[in-house]
């Protein structure tokens, strides 16, 4: 599949219709970056899959922020009333791996080559876990953010899925008002919505931008 020419949402809808017709409920490992971003994906996909949320984000800085986000993710899974039950799998906090892939790109702006390397780091581990666990599919919640490059995410996901022998569920969760719905669900469940992507460099970029604008903004602008 040439993912550069694919309408990811339409491809996903085709697959979901096939699953309904075949009356199949496959297993899906969803890599999640945070509870707010996962909220819409869980509401949407839990109608069709038996889901395990995989929290693997070695980019998160500082460690207290990592702890806050992982606890919020577990709380959301517990609180949501979904068609099929959702399991949770915690990855290791391997921050040294993130700094290794980011080396030499610390100065780049968010959304550039450093972020692409970070996508690949997390999706590769998700593919490895999906293959080891015998999942039918794996995907990531990252595409729900307007700040994330869905084309790159799908390219990487398909490639690493082929390497590990597990199918990547192409997606662009910001479509069909997915991002808007994630904001609504965040309010409904009282979720903490961070105001930077997660890594040390995005946090510094955010702080510098706010300082130039004349003051710090309180947390709430989910990236």
């Amino acid at each position: 599949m040439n993912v550069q020419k694919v309408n990811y949402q339409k491809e996903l809808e085709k697959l979901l219709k096939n699953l309904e017709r075949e009356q199949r409920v496959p297993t899906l490992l969803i890599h999640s970056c945070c509870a707010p971003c996962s909220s819409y994906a869980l509401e949407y996909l839990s109608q069709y899959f038996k889901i395990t949320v995989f929290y693997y984000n070695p980019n998160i800085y500082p460690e207290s922020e990592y702890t806050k986000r992982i606890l919020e993710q577990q709380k959301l899974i517990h609180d949501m009333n979904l068609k099929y039950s959702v399991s949770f799998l915690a990855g290791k906090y391997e921050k040294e791996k993130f700094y290794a892939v980011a080396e030499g790109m610390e100065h780049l702006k968010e959304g550039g080559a450093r972020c692409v390397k970070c996508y690949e780091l997390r999706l590769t581990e998700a593919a490895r876990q999906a293959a080891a666990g015998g999942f039918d599919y794996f995907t990531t919640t990252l595409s729900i953010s307007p700040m994330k490059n869905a084309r790159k995410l799908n390219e990487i996901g398909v490639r690493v899925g082929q390497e590990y022998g597990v199918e990547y569920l192409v997606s662009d969760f910001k479509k069909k008002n997915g991002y808007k719905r994630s904001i609504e669900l965040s309010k409904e469940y009282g979720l903490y919505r961070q105001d930077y992507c997660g890594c040390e460099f995005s946090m510094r970029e955010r702080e510098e931008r706010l300082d130039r604008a004349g003051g710090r903004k309180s947390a709430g602008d989910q990236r």
Side-chain angles (χ1 to χ4, degrees):
M1 183 189 302
N2 185 346
V3 296
Q4 289 186 346
K5 298 180 180 179
V6 168
N7 181 312
Y8 311 119
Q9 180 59 34
K10 286 186 178 179
E11 286 298 308
L12 177 57
E13 288 173 0
K14 286 180 188 177
L15 187 144
L16 298 181
K17 286 179 182 178
N18 286 338
L19 293 180
E20 283 188 312
R21 185 169 57 252
E22 297 167 3
Q23 296 185 322
R24 286 198 302 124
V25 185
T27 54
L28 171 67
L29 184 82
I30 296 184
H31 162 263
S32 175
C33 54
C34 63
C37 285
S38 73
S39 60
Y40 167 72
L42 291 177
E43 180 183 66
Y44 181 31
L45 296 180
S46 66
Q47 303 172 69
Y48 308 94
F49 297 93
K50 295 176 182 175
I51 295 173
T52 295
V53 173
F54 178 49
Y55 190 87
Y56 178 73
N57 299 290
N59 57 307
I60 302 300
Y61 175 88
E63 190 166 352
S64 59
E65 176 74 12
Y66 178 90
T67 301
K68 192 170 186 176
R69 294 193 194 192
I70 197 171
L71 291 174
E72 198 76 348
Q73 180 69 76
Q74 291 172 292
K75 179 181 181 296
L76 176 66
I77 293 170
H78 177 269
D79 290 348
M80 290 190 85
N81 183 21
L82 303 170
K83 183 175 181 178
Y84 297 107
S85 62
V86 175
S87 303
F88 179 74
L89 177 63
K92 295 179 180 179
Y93 183 43
E94 301 173 314
K95 58 185 178 181
E96 69 282 353
K97 289 190 176 182
F98 168 71
Y99 285 109
V101 301
E103 187 174 2
M105 296 184 285
E106 296 88 347
H107 64 289
L108 298 180
K109 289 188 177 296
E110 184 181 347
R114 184 187 67 241
C115 292
V116 174
K117 285 292 186 182
C118 185
Y119 300 162
E120 185 167 5
L121 172 64
R122 291 184 278 176
L123 282 169
T124 298
E125 181 61 17
R128 190 183 74 80
Q129 290 288 342
F135 286 84
D136 298 307
Y137 298 91
F138 80 106
T139 194
T140 180
T141 65
L142 285 166
S143 69
I144 200 166
S145 170
M147 302 294 293
K148 301 295 188 293
N149 187 321
R151 179 179 63 83
K152 285 291 185 184
L153 287 165
N154 282 280
E155 287 177 348
I156 294 167
V158 169
R159 174 169 53 78
V160 298
Q162 289 172 345
E163 291 172 5
Y164 282 88
V166 59
E167 188 169 351
Y168 184 75
L169 192 73
V170 294
S171 55
D172 189 353
F173 292 123
K174 68 178 69 66
K175 301 296 185 182
K176 294 187 69 175
N177 290 317
Y179 178 66
K180 179 183 177 182
R181 180 59 180 155
S182 75
I183 295 174
E184 293 171 350
L185 288 167
S186 295
K187 291 179 180 177
E188 181 179 338
Y189 289 99
L191 299 178
Y192 158 65
R193 294 176 60 82
Q194 62 276 8
D195 63 353
Y196 66 104
C197 177
C199 76
E200 177 179 3
F201 313 113
S202 69
M203 183 184 72
R204 289 178 180 174
E205 182 180 335
R206 176 71 169 163
E207 289 174 346
E208 290 170 2
R209 186 163 60 246
L210 290 173
D211 284 343
R212 288 195 299 270
R216 297 286 174 88
K217 183 177 180 180
S218 61
D221 181 20
Q222 166 66 29
R223 309 301 301 284

